[in-house]
């Protein structure tokens, strides 16, 4: 059996999210319910008919391109969930480093805004802002929700950290969030609770920084908690 | 925000299934558990490391190309589930007619066979034989199984028909299946129970034919049952 080997696909739109870079993106969709995003469909797909009936779904599948990573020909990866030491086949993981840099996330559909370019507002996002979107499909529970499925490598969500604000950081956040249309504090906490340090870092004295919607959060991480030290 | 608009993706392999044509393919994955398939990875991806640990999953996501359909720029489709008269936005459906002809199915993983080209044996397939595969990802229950999701247009599997064999058809099937490595009777019944007539047909006198693994099944359909009249 021979079929064509190469396929040219084009984006239908782009997603805007709080994540300015790969750093701090939750490791899976829906881990940070407060992480919101807006899929903006390109002109060619902004005819309102393309999304007619979409609000009959509570959740959608979004197929996208890992555009910051690109294609990888390495057969194995080292998932953070396995401590970063064990090698596993790329097709046994959701790693971003894969032969076709295709991502797949199930997101909660919040609302659809028509007029001009169609906006699809979603939450629980795990995509870098600017990610090109290839397709949107409804989540169909009787097909997609597999009651008896198991996955040996990760049967539970990753553990989350407690989030603590210093008084200074809280004051700084309130000053900035009053001026900007920012992700709310709950969203920020859900994102930082995922332990957004680069893999394998373990230095309690080090101050890390992460940019969310252009706002820089400085934080430290101890055994069980992340402490937000400052917001600028 | 501007990002690249076009992406060249290449198949990693091809799936062989009982479905010689679009006719008789179940409308979603897992509706016919006995419909088995074998994903054969291309040489470039048959290094056993690519699938290292894959058998730790009970189910996998398969991203593929609707190669018999191709890209569609029509904003709406008429889903069979809505009687074929109502128009719905393509992004609100799983229709094969979409801007990027990308398909997505969750399949049960039966076994992985190494040596030569890697074979990934799956069941509950809803893909035409020869479909190019772009990606394989594990089904991760804590992410992918969304307990509170709903989909207004189809909250239940489509109704299935009772399957009846005439004595002649049963004898013919037994003669053929003794000689060939065929899908078993249960699989055939699950496929035909999905009512594999072309949409909107409703002629009880008409004898339809469907080819599964090169075997032709002749059948008639009444209100509640499909009767297999002959197998050749």
């Amino acid at each position: 059996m021979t079929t064509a080997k190469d396929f040219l696909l084009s984006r239908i739109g782009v997603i805007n999210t709080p994540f300015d870079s790969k750093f701090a993106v939750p490791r899976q969709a829906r881990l940070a319910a407060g992480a919101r995003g807006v899929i903006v469909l390109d002109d060619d797909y902004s005819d309102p008919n393309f999304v007619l009936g979409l609000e009959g779904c509570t959740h959608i599948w979004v197929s996208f391109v890992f555009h910051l990573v690109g294609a990888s020909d390495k057969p194995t990866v080292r998932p953070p969930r396995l401590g970063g030491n064990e090698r596993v086949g790329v097709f046994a993981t959701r790693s971003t480093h894969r032969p076709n840099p295709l991502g797949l996330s199930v997101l909660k559909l919040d609302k659809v805004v028509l007029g001009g370019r169609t906006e699809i507002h979603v939450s629980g996002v795990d995509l870098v802002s600017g990610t090109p979107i290839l397709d949107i499909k409804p989540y169909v529970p009787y097909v997609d929700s597999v009651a008896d499925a198991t996955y040996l490598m990760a049967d539970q969500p990753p553990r989350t950290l407690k989030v603590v604000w210093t008084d200074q950081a809280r004051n700084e956040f309130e000053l900035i969030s009053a001026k900007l249309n920012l992700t709310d504090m709950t969203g920020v906490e859900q994102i930082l609770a995922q332990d957004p340090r680069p893999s394998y870092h373990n230095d309690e004295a080090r101050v890390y920084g992460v940019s969310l919607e252009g706002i820089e959060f400085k934080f430290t991480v101890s055994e069980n908690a992340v402490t937000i030290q400052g917001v600028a």
Side-chain angles (χ1 to χ4, degrees), chain A:
Chain A
M1 174 78 63
T2 59
T3 59
K5 295 213 167 196
D6 297 322
F7 303 91
L8 190 68
L9 302 179
S10 300
R11 78 169 200 207
I12 59 165
V14 168
I15 190 167
N16 300 318
T17 77
F19 306 111
D20 303 330
S21 70
K22 284 184 284 179
F23 196 56
V25 176
R27 293 213 177 112
Q28 300 292 347
R30 302 195 311 121
L31 290 179
R36 299 195 197 93
V38 179
I39 299 168
V40 182
L41 296 184
D42 288 340
D43 283 341
D44 287 351
Y45 305 103
S46 280
D47 175 339
N49 282 317
F50 274 103
V51 294
L52 186 66
L54 186 61
E55 286 184 306
C57 316
T58 58
H59 294 76
I60 55 174
W61 286 110
V62 177
S63 290
F64 57 94
V65 177
F66 292 120
H67 65 304
L68 298 182
V69 178
S72 163
D73 58 3
K74 292 218 181 89
T76 59
V77 295
R78 294 183 301 174
R81 280 297 282 275
L82 299 179
N85 301 314
E86 201 175 325
R87 290 208 163 269
V88 179
V90 62
F91 297 135
T93 79
R94 300 276 193 132
S95 171
T96 58
H97 301 273
R98 47 206 317 119
N100 288 304
L102 279 174
L104 178 65
S105 293
V106 57
L107 304 178
K108 184 167 174 298
L109 176 66
D110 293 325
K111 64 176 172 179
V112 177
V113 179
L114 302 176
R117 286 189 168 178
T118 298
E119 292 181 356
I120 301 168
H121 293 244
V122 288
S123 52
V125 300
D126 62 341
L127 293 86
V128 174
S129 203
T131 296
I133 306 301
L134 294 181
D135 200 11
I136 294 165
K137 295 182 199 284
Y139 186 92
V140 179
Y142 81 80
V143 186
D144 297 332
S145 191
V146 184
D148 58 346
T150 59
Y151 178 53
L152 209 61
M153 265 182 276
D155 59 350
Q156 296 286 328
R159 83 185 186 111
T160 53
L161 300 171
K162 198 174 78 163
V163 178
V164 179
W165 297 74
T166 61
D167 287 344
Q168 184 190 330
R170 196 180 292 275
N171 292 338
E172 287 169 351
F173 181 78
E174 275 165 18
L175 278 174
I176 288 173
S177 64
K179 280 188 277 183
L180 295 172
N181 181 22
L182 234 200
T183 180
D184 63 20
M185 255 165 127
T186 313
V188 171
E189 291 184 8
Q190 287 170 345
I191 291 162
L192 294 181
Q194 307 296 321
D195 191 355
R197 290 175 295 175
S199 298
Y200 331 126
H201 278 232
N202 197 13
D203 178 355
E204 296 203 0
R206 180 159 168 180
V207 179
Y208 297 92
V210 60
S211 169
L212 296 172
E213 296 191 18
I215 307 300
E216 185 79 7
F217 292 81
K218 296 285 184 195
F219 63 96
T220 54
V221 184
S222 64
E223 183 65 31
N224 294 307
V226 51
T227 303
I228 305 173
Q229 306 284 352
V231 181

